[in-house]
Amino acid sequence: MSPIVKLLAQRISLSLLLLLLISVVIFAGTIVLPGDVAQSILGQSATPEALANLRAELGVNDPPVQRYFAWLFGAMQGDLGTALTSGQDIAQALSSRIGNTLFLAFWAAVVAVPLAIFLGLLAVRFKDRWPDKLISAVTLASISIPEFLIGYVLMYFIAVKMRWAPSVAMINDSMSLLEKLHSIALPVAVLTLVVLAHMMRMTRAAILNVMQSAYIETAELKGLNAFQVIYRHAFPNAIAPIVNVVMINLAYLVVGVVVIEVVFVYPGMGQYLVDHVSKRDVPVVQACGLIFAAVYIALNMFADIVAILSNPRLRHPK
Amino acid sequence: MKNIPISALIGLFFTALYFLGAIFAPLLAPYGVGEVVGNVWEPSSADYLLGTDNIGRDLLSRMIYGGRTTIFIATAATVLSFTLGSVLGFFAAVTGGWVDQALSRFVDLVMSIPTLIFALVVLSVAPVTIPMLILVMGLLDATRVYRLARAVAVDIEVMDYVEAARLRGEKTAWIIFREILPNALSPLIAEMGLRFIFAVLFVSTLSFLGLGVQPPEADWGGIVKENKEGIVYGIPAALIPAFAIATLAISVNLVADWVLNRTTSLKGGRG
């Protein structure tokens, strides 16, 4: 077996193991803690009979290990259980919402990734001059501001004052792609701003790191202009770190979506999760938590795989 | 102290301002926290400097009391995460072996779940009270501190003076608190600023989602939530707490940046 296949197999099995352990943590997180779930759902005034019924329905009386395995095997077969509050099948409720969430995250990524890489290159090209300074100032500001603030500021000025875009992002299946894009314009803008600065700064750091190598000096001495040096020599060597940055930020994007969906009343998974946390609907929260964690792990794994594949030393072993 | 850059001075000034505001909230606030004093969403006037909120409470008073809650929770969570994270991190670095492995792998596991998602999972069953919020945030954040503390301590642990202490027969506790802690303090303090900001943003986000500080208690994230309906009618009340969060975070960031630069230059570039 070639070493690269072995490395990839190792990385993928590590992720699967991690996901399994995370399912344990998420499950344990909801049962280890103090507090009676049945009591929290029904409130202080619940009768003992009602509490006992709900406990039986929740399966709280079974041993935790048995409940965990029942839940895990169900989840693996696509059966996420039913919501306590509405009695709806969770997998069915989630299927359309996952699509909506991915739609939002996808368009945010389409805008943010090329823009961040281009601005990162620009910052390297004009290092220590005003474009670079401006970029680092914006970075500092944007990591200090919560997502929902950016959301409301944009909503206030762009949607309410200037009326360029709708202030709530409602989408449904009967809308054309263009209509959908118009209605998610603001959330996409916010998500882009949230990840842009970080992605840009790390791209800048990754390329600057490469720029200090001897072959860059050679390229400069050969008389190539600055953009060509960056594009032909620095960029290929910076791909692995940049992909890493992009993936970390996309993973962040998928989580940041939770808050943004609530701000813009977008019918996605994040809003579903938040709604059911306040209703204390544990099965829904566990299912959503597991899916978010799985996406997060998958993106991180993908970053590592690209890093392995883009490294010629691993591709062509001696 | 005379070489403080202007950005750090600005940061220090505003950070101090916010903390003093939090401490002396009852003296500064013109009205009570839950007192209905005027009409709904009145614009700012001499009586109500920032106007009134969604049920006619004075927004300035709510902001001052809210700042107190937000800053208190963030500070308590930061203290908890630092105490726990750094002690465990140092302990892992000093002990080594399977203890180190077990702790580090466990921290890796918790860190591989997005913090917000994990917090939401826990808060779906736990009672949402202020001590619980502090506990959840502190424990989740302790994993980040643990990483840093362990990395710093591993470097210090191989120094001659630590070995000398070991040969003298000092106990683990002595090595952690008397040898490693004083030498690891500066990077940890710089990190503390960043963790504090993270805690402020995090508790505000939770309250905004309705899963943090519960009404009638005020906090900045909660004030955004209460007044968000106004945005659509062009009433900017919800933007005021957001502005406060941002300025606090930027000021603490400026201070942390300065501390970090200062400590790296002290060590000749090694952080």
Side-chain angles (χ1 to χ4, degrees):
Chain A
M1 197 158 59
S2 81
I4 193 154
V5 176
K6 200 174 152 199
L7 267 176
L8 290 182
Q10 268 176 359
R11 186 64 190 82
I12 293 172
S13 42
L14 183 71
S15 298
L16 290 178
L17 179 70
L18 195 60
L19 192 57
L20 190 68
L21 289 174
I22 283 177
S23 73
V24 176
V25 172
I26 287 181
F27 193 82
T30 55
I31 59 168
V32 172
L33 282 149
D36 180 358
V37 185
Q39 188 90 61
S40 334
I41 294 169
L42 295 177
Q44 291 297 333
S45 55
T47 59
E49 292 82 35
L51 283 176
N53 281 343
L54 186 61
R55 282 199 199 104
E57 195 188 322
L58 290 169
V60 183
N61 300 324
D62 296 336
V65 178
Q66 191 189 330
R67 278 161 58 207
Y68 169 71
F69 281 109
W71 175 68
L72 183 67
F73 287 126
M76 278 199 239
Q77 291 161 0
D79 172 20
L80 294 166
T82 50
L84 291 177
T85 40
S86 60
Q88 245 186 339
D89 187 50
I90 297 174
Q92 211 174 0
L94 274 179
S95 58
S96 65
R97 287 171 176 271
I98 289 180
N100 287 346
T101 294
L102 291 180
F103 182 71
L104 182 60
F106 170 77
W107 284 104
V110 165
V111 178
V113 172
L115 197 61
I117 291 178
F118 173 72
L119 289 176
L121 290 174
L122 207 67
V124 173
R125 171 68 185 80
F126 297 103
K127 186 172 176 293
D128 293 332
R129 305 243 298 273
W130 69 264
D132 187 27
K133 294 231 167 82
L134 181 71
I135 285 171
S136 48
V138 172
T139 310
L140 174 68
S142 81
I143 55 173
S144 310
I145 304 174
E147 296 98 341
F148 60 87
L149 160 63
I150 304 181
Y152 281 122
V153 170
L154 288 193
M155 193 195 275
Y156 183 72
F157 288 107
I158 294 182
V160 178
K161 291 282 167 199
M162 301 199 264
R163 303 190 173 279
W164 284 349
S167 61
V168 286
M170 299 297 274
I171 65 168
N172 54 50
D173 292 336
S174 60
M175 294 163 88
S176 70
L177 181 65
L178 215 61
E179 281 172 331
K180 279 187 183 174
L181 286 183
H182 181 240
S183 88
I184 63 165
L186 272 185
V188 165
V190 177
L191 284 171
T192 304
L193 284 176
V194 168
V195 291
L196 186 67
H198 194 228
M199 219 169 1
M200 202 160 66
R201 196 173 61 156
M202 287 174 76
T203 306
R204 174 181 177 273
I207 294 180
L208 276 182
N209 197 14
V210 173
M211 291 298 269
Q212 283 156 3
S213 322
Y215 54 80
I216 298 295
E217 204 178 337
T218 311
E220 273 165 5
L221 293 176
K222 241 168 32 180
L224 294 183
N225 68 40
F227 260 114
Q228 264 188 320
V229 172
I230 293 175
Y231 179 66
R232 297 289 295 276
H233 295 270
F235 192 62
N237 288 293
I239 282 184
I242 289 176
V243 167
N244 208 1
V245 172
V246 170
M247 286 301 154
I248 290 172
N249 280 287
L250 290 189
Y252 182 76
L253 200 72
V254 170
V255 179
V257 149
V258 173
V259 179
I260 296 302
E261 280 179 5
V262 174
V263 171
F264 290 99
V265 204
Y266 183 79
M269 233 175 88
Q271 211 198 19
Y272 189 63
L273 171 62
V274 172
D275 267 2
H276 287 79
V277 172
S278 35
K279 290 179 193 157
R280 299 187 174 276
D281 195 332
V282 180
V284 176
V285 176
Q286 283 172 338
C288 291
L290 194 63
I291 292 173
F292 272 116
V295 172
Y296 196 72
I297 290 173
L299 287 170
N300 278 317
M301 179 183 81
F302 190 68
D304 281 1
I305 288 177
V306 172
I308 292 171
L309 290 179
S310 71
N311 187 337
R313 286 187 206 89
L314 295 174
R315 252 187 344 228
H316 308 288
K318 280 180 213 151
Chain B
M1 287 303 270
K2 60 186 168 190
N3 290 331
I4 302 179
I6 186 86
S7 63
L9 271 180
I10 297 174
L12 272 176
F13 175 73
F14 281 104
T15 310
L17 205 65
Y18 275 112
F19 270 85
L20 288 177
I23 294 167
F24 298 109
L27 301 179
L28 292 171
Y31 302 95
V33 62
E35 204 179 328
V36 178
V37 291
N39 286 324
V40 172
W41 281 322
E42 270 183 47
S44 67
S45 61
D47 284 343
Y48 319 114
L49 283 177
L50 296 176
T52 57
D53 76 350
N54 63 327
I55 55 171
R57 292 169 295 195
D58 178 47
L59 204 54
L60 179 64
S61 312
R62 303 240 344 132
M63 282 299 300
I64 293 174
Y65 278 105
R68 188 180 214 195
T69 318
T70 303
I71 291 176
F72 169 71
I73 294 178
T75 310
T78 313
V79 168
L80 176 64
S81 69
F82 260 78
T83 321
L84 194 70
S86 54
V87 168
L88 282 181
F90 293 160
F91 180 69
V94 172
T95 320
W98 68 268
V99 177
D100 183 19
Q101 280 298 321
L103 275 172
S104 299
R105 293 296 82 76
F106 177 72
V107 164
D108 285 349
L109 175 65
V110 175
M111 282 179 72
S112 67
I113 307 175
T115 318
L116 180 64
I117 302 294
F118 200 10
L120 290 182
V121 168
V122 172
L123 290 176
S124 70
V125 285
V128 183
T129 55
I130 288 180
M132 195 68 204
L133 282 177
I134 294 173
L135 194 68
V136 170
M137 286 169 50
L139 289 181
L140 286 178
D141 227 24
T143 55
R144 270 80 181 165
V145 181
Y146 169 89
R147 274 241 173 132
L148 177 76
R150 187 185 163 278
V152 173
V154 163
D155 266 4
I156 298 174
E157 211 258 326
V158 292
M159 295 284 180
D160 289 342
Y161 53 81
V162 176
E163 187 155 5
R166 275 185 205 280
L167 291 175
R168 276 203 314 270
E170 303 292 2
K171 299 247 167 35
T172 310
W174 172 287
I175 293 177
I176 289 176
F177 290 108
R178 304 298 292 269
E179 307 290 343
I180 292 184
L181 183 62
N183 292 294
L185 218 49
S186 41
L188 282 181
I189 286 178
E191 177 74 6
M192 199 175 222
L194 301 179
R195 289 289 120 209
F196 174 76
I197 297 170
F198 181 79
V200 169
L201 297 186
F202 198 65
V203 72
S204 308
T205 304
L206 284 178
S207 295
F208 167 70
L209 295 175
L211 305 163
V213 178
Q214 300 296 315
E217 200 86 49
D219 90 307
W220 287 345
I223 297 175
V224 177
K225 182 187 164 64
E226 289 161 8
N227 294 299
K228 66 181 178 185
E229 311 301 334
I231 292 277
V232 188
Y233 307 112
I235 295 154
L239 301 185
I240 292 169
F243 177 76
I245 295 169
T247 45
L248 174 64
I250 290 174
S251 349
V252 176
N253 235 329
L254 289 174
V255 179
D257 244 21
W258 165 62
V259 174
L260 200 66
N261 281 335
R262 214 175 65 98
T263 52
T264 37
S265 62
L266 280 180
K267 286 190 175 174
R270 230 182 102 255

